[in-house]
Amino acid sequence: MKDATHRDWTTRAAIFVPYAWLIAFLLLPFLIVLKISLSQTAIAQPPYVPVFDPAAGWEGMKDFFAALSLDSYLGLFADQLYAWSYWKSIQVAAISTAILLLIAYPVAYALARAPRRWQGMLVLLVVLPFWTSFLIRVYAWINILQHDGLLNQVLLALRIVDAPVSWLATDHAVYLGIVYSYFPFMVLPLYAALEKLDPALLEAAADLGCPPSRTFFAVTVPLSLPGIVAGCLLCFIPIVGEFVIPDLLGSSSTSMIGQVLWLEFFGNRDWPVASALAVVLLLILVPPILIYRQRETRQLERGR
Amino acid sequence: MAVLVSFDQVTKRFGDFTAVDGLSLDIHEREFFALLGPSGCGKTTLLRMLAGFEAPDGGRVTLAGQDLAGIPPYRRPVNMMFQSYALFPHMTVAGNVAFGLKQDGLARDEIAARVDEMLGLVQLRPLAARKPDQLSGGQRQRVALARSLAKRPKVLLLDEPLAALDRKLREETRFELKELQRRLATTFVIVTHDQDEAMSIADRIGVMNRGCLAQVGTPAEIYERPASRWVAGFVGDVNLIEGRVTAVYPSFVMVDRVGMRLRVAHAPVAPGPIAVALRPEKIRVSHAVPDGAFENGAAGTVADIGYLGTLSLYKVRLDDGLVLKAAVMNEQRAERPIHVNERVWLSWTPDAAVLLME
Amino acid sequence: MKRFGCTNLTALALGLAFLYLPIAVLVVNSFNDSRLVTVWAGASLRWYRELANDAAMLDAASVSFRVAFLSATAATILGTLAALALTRGGRFRGRLLFSGMIYAPLVMPEVITGLSLLLLFVAVEIDRGFWTIVIAHTTLTLCFVAVVVQSRLVTFDRSLEEAALDLGCPPLRTFLAVTLPLIWPAVASGWMLAFALSLDDLVIASFVSGPGATTLPLRIYSEVRLGVKPEINAVCTILIAVVALGLIAASLLTKRSASKAPLGARM
């Protein structure tokens, strides 16, 4: 039905309390980041000026706006290192999302086609690692990839390589870690879309003379497109800002934007530049986030 | 009978859509009233305004003289039986029936006694400890009924109460509902899109179309004397014959149509264009020319015969192209069977037809 | 059921092997007596014993579990309210901003969330420590809870609430007597998700934690940066066991309540 007769105080409280919390701890912090990104670095603690002082009144406001500067942003454009890091992050995210899609699709398809009574258990098995710590999962790969780790031992034993290969601190290790960590994020949306696919549609396609391989591309893939898009966005967006995986598995040359931001903040203590990096990163991610959100809301509403 | 519920110029809009449009209606005490109409006609909205789930944008709803505006649903002395039954899945049958009583803060033994009484009323005593999902559709319907009656509401609202049942059970339940209403002497307001249901169950029917009342009356009045072409077409099957009033006499009216003269017993109307409504079961079909065939009679060719068990439905194409439907009981069929493409005569009495201006 | 072909079986087996092999290696290594992870020197609980004496690690674990418990509980309350606001609030002012704030943290890189919260705490001069981590985790995880509960509320039959109102039950009591018991599984899994996310978080905690409040991931991270250590394998194994047991218990509980259901056909 359309709307309730009147909004009683309980509904109003349900809106107000989380709203106030989110404004205080989500929106306000962003505005502060925005403000600091427009400030100049100072040696003082905390390392930025100016601080907005509402007590100073109109003059204070004028001073405040006069003191804003685009220095940090100009710095970002002047130094190629930053641009390169953004580009590298997007590249890593795009490539790993593509790999994820390729290897997750068959698994999701198999899950959706598995006998009903096994499906719940199998989905649980896929989700289970997601509940264990992110850090543990990355660390598990260090165990395997290190110089005298399992991988090198196996390769040596099979005489595929003559000397241990250094896997850690390479781009390969980063891709492996990302694909491993985000695997369930790709499988689940794909599974959700494929599971809804009516097997009668495939039978109808076969009945109309379409061979299985062509049915896959003509029926299955188009109908699972919502899952593909959701899975890709769900992986791509956070991977761009990924910090832990490249930090633990990558080399110093794999500096993704998350690492650069971290370094500017904790290493160089340049808060304005770190904030500007965050703002630009957010701007890059706004379009995919909006697309994702729009699709999710539409799905939720269709679920009614 | 005293008026219990009164809608006065009530309007309800949802955005651009006007669900109920300046509607006025009185429902009497101890009456079984049916709101009948196609889906989207506003009948459920009307019911929900009485229950308090929607607030009217204009007009007043009163119950026993008291204006209901601003009174939330949980303080209104009316109860509703929902189309989906809305049984609480986490409570037993007895828990569901007791729910409303608990809100009134009745004593425990009093609640237990009333629950027992209600479950006895709908013959569900043995299932009191079951959960709703352990019941059949018919049993769930009876739990919903018991729950909504437990608080002895002044008005019981029933939103398509039988829609989820299969046909046989639905027909049995109609009579049970009617019986129950008589025994409890409570006002029942039922919303339905099923005309058979409304006709067989209600004392009076309000036929709704596009947010307005098209006609209010007893089932017989609505069927025999529909107020408009729309009501005639919506309630039951009907033949509409367009014509012109040529002469008005104190007790009957003459209507002319090319090749046909109709004598209709009805209140006086002005000469001019008009429609005559004729129910299929009021038309006789014969091989022989009936008496007085120049009035209320026409010849035509049988275009189609539908066999429906108790009766057969003949579609007869008249010489001017108009197709009339005639329903004939199969036990009184003519001695010589009628076949498709045969020429037949149709005839009816002056009081079988109704004049419709709208 | 459609035939479950060889290809499907292979895909599934490979997928699951990919997911579980690294974890299995880690668990097995945690029972290796040797300090060198590569040499198997027999099964032992040596590293678990050493862990029991590692005061810093135990302290970090206690901080982590307390933070997770507090923030998950707060996030469940706030997130459930937010889900109610989104599904039941109608078109209130600022709804777009509200739903935007709910959805953004789900996909937003954690570095941004962490950085912005840290700058807030600095700006209002709150000392960083235990409570700032709780606030930060509550903010992040309440969004996840809201989404989980919202997806349940969307399919919730509104007429159940209307029936309660109709039978004389005021709104707040209706929520407690009818709505909450029925959406309880979603609320509970929201809490578990929030708990796991809080226990898992490294990036945000590293921004907003202060001296004296080191969470388990922070502690593990600082050790891991120095290379593989057998004690870390042991810690990770314990964490995996805790999570696995929790999940299995939860799924058994929901299965039991679901299996009580069918007899009469559902409409």
Side-chain angles (χ1 to χ4, degrees):
Chain A
M1 283 301 117
K2 287 282 158 79
D3 55 300
T5 42
H6 51 98
R7 200 173 286 147
D8 57 285
W9 65 271
T10 42
T11 318
R12 248 180 262 143
I15 297 172
F16 177 75
V17 175
Y19 209 152
W21 181 282
L22 287 171
I23 284 181
F25 296 114
L26 201 66
L27 188 63
L28 188 62
F30 279 130
L31 297 179
I32 293 176
V33 170
L34 196 62
K35 197 204 86 179
I36 291 175
S37 74
L38 293 168
S39 311
Q40 277 162 329
T41 316
I43 296 106
Q45 273 282 359
Y48 64 89
V49 285
V51 178
F52 181 53
D53 180 13
W58 178 239
E59 283 303 309
M61 288 271 271
K62 260 197 333 207
D63 291 348
F64 172 74
F65 283 107
L68 292 181
S69 90
L70 286 170
D71 282 5
S72 308
Y73 290 95
L74 294 176
L76 291 197
F77 291 112
D79 195 333
Q80 282 204 329
L81 173 80
Y82 298 117
W84 193 82
S85 293
Y86 280 119
W87 171 239
K88 178 82 188 171
S89 304
I90 293 170
Q91 192 192 344
V92 168
I95 293 174
S96 15
T97 305
I99 300 172
L100 272 164
L101 183 62
L102 281 180
I103 67 168
Y105 203 96
V107 176
Y109 189 85
L111 267 181
R113 290 280 157 274
R116 277 272 157 207
R117 62 205 149 92
W118 290 102
Q119 265 185 33
M121 195 63 217
L122 288 170
V123 171
L124 187 69
L125 275 177
V126 171
V127 181
L128 206 64
F130 158 76
W131 287 78
T132 69
S133 169
F134 198 78
L135 189 57
I136 293 178
R137 282 175 282 150
V138 177
Y139 172 68
W141 277 105
I142 301 182
N143 264 320
I144 294 174
L145 296 180
Q146 61 184 324
H147 194 72
D148 46 3
L150 186 71
L151 182 62
N152 274 335
Q153 288 186 7
V154 170
L155 290 178
L156 284 170
L158 294 176
R159 306 274 171 111
I160 295 173
V161 294
D162 305 323
V165 183
S166 26
W167 297 104
L168 282 178
T170 64
D171 279 8
H172 300 292
V174 175
Y175 282 118
L176 186 63
I178 290 176
V179 167
Y180 181 70
S181 299
Y182 285 88
F183 192 63
F185 289 88
M186 186 61 98
V187 172
L188 283 184
L190 288 176
Y191 165 76
L194 286 167
E195 192 251 350
K196 273 185 248 153
L197 189 82
D198 185 355
L201 291 176
L202 304 184
E203 289 173 353
D207 182 61
L208 295 168
C210 190
S213 57
R214 219 186 308 152
T215 303
F216 180 76
F217 288 105
V219 179
T220 312
V221 170
L223 285 175
S224 62
L225 206 58
I228 295 176
V229 175
C232 287
L233 290 171
L234 204 54
C235 292
F236 178 84
I237 301 166
I239 294 175
V240 173
E242 188 52 58
F243 164 73
V244 182
I245 298 171
D247 189 57
L248 288 178
L249 299 177
S251 66
S252 52
S253 68
T254 348
S255 56
M256 288 175 65
I257 199 64
Q259 292 168 279
V260 175
L261 194 157
W262 182 283
L263 192 71
E264 287 297 343
F265 192 86
F266 288 112
N268 302 344
R269 297 195 66 76
D270 193 338
W271 293 18
V273 166
S275 300
L277 282 169
V279 171
V280 173
L281 174 57
L282 199 60
L283 285 179
I284 292 173
L285 293 181
V286 158
I289 288 178
L290 282 182
I291 297 171
Y292 176 74
R293 209 185 86 67
Q294 219 179 353
R295 297 188 73 99
E296 287 298 294
T297 342
R298 225 187 301 154
Q299 288 238 293
L300 255 183
E301 268 154 22
R302 221 177 288 157
R304 257 166 227 272
Chain B
M1 269 194 285
V3 171
L4 182 62
V5 177
S6 171
F7 293 91
D8 182 18
Q9 294 290 318
V10 171
T11 298
K12 176 71 190 175
R13 288 182 209 91
F14 296 116
D16 296 335
F17 176 69
T18 305
V20 175
D21 194 359
L23 180 146
S24 296
L25 169 68
D26 287 342
I27 296 170
H28 304 142
E29 244 168 55
R30 298 181 185 180
E31 178 174 46
F32 205 135
F33 192 90
L35 284 164
L36 174 67
S39 61
C41 71
K43 55 191 192 303
T44 298
T45 306
L46 204 60
L47 200 70
R48 289 171 62 83
M49 283 195 279
L50 187 49
F53 297 125
E54 312 286 354
D57 293 317
R60 290 196 323 154
V61 184
T62 55
L63 176 70
Q66 187 198 4
D67 191 343
L68 291 177
I71 301 181
Y74 48 94
R75 295 218 191 88
R76 296 189 181 199
V78 298
N79 285 129
M80 177 139 148
M81 187 183 148
F82 290 79
Q83 181 173 7
S84 64
Y85 308 146
L87 297 178
F88 306 125
H90 57 307
M91 298 178 196
T92 61
V93 167
N96 266 284
V97 178
F99 187 88
L101 303 169
K102 279 186 190 152
Q103 308 308 321
D104 288 352
L106 293 184
R108 288 192 95 165
D109 46 345
E110 206 174 334
I111 292 178
R114 186 88 69 87
V115 168
D116 190 61
E117 179 196 335
M118 285 300 143
L119 291 179
L121 199 65
V122 295
Q123 295 144 35
L124 281 177
R125 275 209 188 98
L127 304 182
R130 291 247 184 118
K131 290 275 181 74
D133 53 11
Q134 297 170 313
L135 302 177
S136 71
Q139 290 166 339
R140 263 185 273 176
Q141 191 258 0
R142 300 219 294 277
V143 177
L145 188 61
R147 185 179 72 177
S148 53
L149 280 171
K151 296 185 77 172
R152 306 217 168 108
K154 282 191 178 154
V155 185
L156 178 70
L157 311 175
L158 303 111
D159 186 5
E160 304 270 7
L162 309 177
L165 304 179
D166 59 50
R167 212 175 66 122
K168 219 172 151 101
L169 191 57
R170 192 159 57 211
E171 280 165 13
E172 285 168 24
T173 313
R174 276 181 205 161
F175 291 102
E176 285 176 21
L177 264 185
K178 180 92 185 149
E179 180 62 34
L180 197 65
Q181 189 261 342
R182 238 179 251 139
R183 193 138 48 104
L184 297 172
T186 305
T187 307
F188 279 31
V189 181
I190 186 175
V191 155
T192 180
H193 66 274
D194 180 341
Q195 41 152 318
D196 290 344
E197 192 168 302
M199 303 282 274
S200 62
I201 216 170
D203 299 322
R204 284 199 308 148
I205 298 175
V207 188
M208 279 188 76
N209 185 29
R210 298 180 177 193
C212 299
L213 275 174
Q215 191 176 1
V216 181
T218 64
E221 281 168 2
I222 299 232
Y223 190 77
E224 303 286 344
R225 296 269 166 263
S228 64
R229 289 184 174 97
W230 188 85
V231 174
F234 182 71
V235 180
D237 212 352
V238 77
N239 295 298
L240 285 175
I241 305 168
E242 306 284 340
R244 290 187 69 82
V245 175
T246 51
V248 180
Y249 300 98
S251 61
F252 63 91
V253 174
M254 295 306 296
V255 178
D256 267 22
R257 179 188 167 85
V258 182
M260 216 196 294
R261 285 185 79 200
L262 300 129
R263 179 207 276 257
V264 185
H266 195 270
V269 286
I274 205 154
V276 175
L278 197 54
R279 298 286 182 194
E281 71 275 12
K282 305 215 165 166
I283 301 181
R284 283 189 306 271
V285 185
S286 60
H287 286 109
V289 182
D291 297 337
F294 61 96
E295 274 176 12
N296 292 350
T301 313
V302 177
D304 187 29
I305 302 176
Y307 177 74
L308 300 174
T310 50
L311 47 80
S312 290
L313 194 66
Y314 295 86
K315 282 189 183 158
V316 178
R317 179 168 286 114
L318 303 188
D319 297 338
D320 67 347
L322 180 71
V323 176
L324 291 186
K325 284 175 282 184
V328 178
M329 294 299 282
N330 282 335
E331 55 170 0
Q332 44 183 235
R333 240 184 323 186
E335 285 154 33
R336 188 154 72 80
I338 295 168
H339 299 290
V340 173
N341 286 334
E342 260 185 305
R343 264 192 92 69
V344 290
W345 277 92
L346 303 178
S347 58
W348 56 92
T349 58
D351 57 359
V354 181
L355 288 177
L356 299 174
M357 274 154 290
E358 276 177 46
Chain C
M1 198 69 264
K2 291 281 88 195
R3 63 210 175 291
F4 189 58
C6 226
T7 342
N8 282 342
L9 198 64
T10 318
L12 212 51
L14 283 178
L16 289 176
F18 177 57
L19 280 176
Y20 283 94
L21 193 69
I23 295 176
V25 170
L26 185 149
V27 170
V28 170
N29 269 340
S30 78
F31 294 105
N32 187 353
D33 195 48
S34 162
R35 175 160 285 281
L36 293 167
V37 204
T38 44
V39 187
W40 181 257
S44 92
L45 293 175
R46 178 178 163 196
W47 308 116
Y48 292 88
R49 274 194 300 274
E50 287 202 7
L51 198 62
N53 297 323
D54 187 343
M57 193 66 89
L58 291 179
D59 186 53
S62 130
V63 168
S64 255
F65 276 94
R66 278 183 295 146
V67 166
F69 182 82
L70 288 172
S71 65
T73 307
T76 304
I77 295 168
L78 289 168
T80 305
L81 288 178
L84 280 170
L86 284 175
T87 45
R88 299 294 149 83
R91 302 234 157 264
F92 57 89
R93 223 177 313 150
R95 192 196 148 92
L96 198 68
L97 175 67
F98 187 62
S99 66
M101 287 195 297
I102 293 287
Y103 277 89
L106 301 184
V107 283
M108 212 165 50
E110 289 164 319
V111 278
I112 298 182
T113 319
L115 174 72
S116 61
L117 275 165
L118 168 59
L119 294 181
L120 170 80
F121 294 139
V122 171
V124 297
E125 288 168 5
I126 294 178
D127 284 334
R128 280 171 282 147
F130 182 83
W131 289 106
T132 49
I133 308 178
V134 172
I135 290 175
H137 283 182
T138 303
T139 310
L140 174 75
T141 56
L142 87 84
C143 303
F144 286 85
V145 176
V147 169
V148 171
V149 176
Q150 191 192 2
S151 63
R152 172 69 186 92
L153 280 174
V154 162
T155 58
F156 188 87
D157 182 5
R158 283 297 288 272
S159 64
L160 289 173
E161 286 167 353
E162 290 182 342
L165 291 173
D166 184 65
L167 293 166
C169 194
L172 184 60
R173 217 184 316 151
T174 295
F175 177 74
L176 296 175
V178 174
T179 317
L180 196 57
L182 292 175
I183 64 167
W184 188 248
V187 175
S189 60
W191 188 89
M192 280 183 63
L193 182 62
F195 191 89
L197 284 168
S198 167
L199 209 57
D200 184 15
D201 169 67
L202 164 69
V203 177
I204 293 176
S206 66
F207 276 98
V208 298
S209 77
T214 305
T215 62
L216 200 53
L218 283 172
R219 178 97 200 114
I220 295 174
Y221 179 71
S222 62
E223 297 274 341
V224 167
R225 294 197 71 155
L226 306 174
V228 172
K229 279 176 87 179
E231 292 98 324
I232 302 294
N233 286 338
V235 175
C236 292
T237 305
I238 292 174
L239 275 178
I240 291 167
V242 167
V243 167
L245 285 177
L247 276 179
I248 289 167
S251 80
L252 283 181
L253 276 178
T254 51
K255 213 173 252 169
R256 198 191 304 160
S257 64
S259 67
K260 273 197 226 148
L263 236 165
R266 195 176 289 270
M267 239 161 296

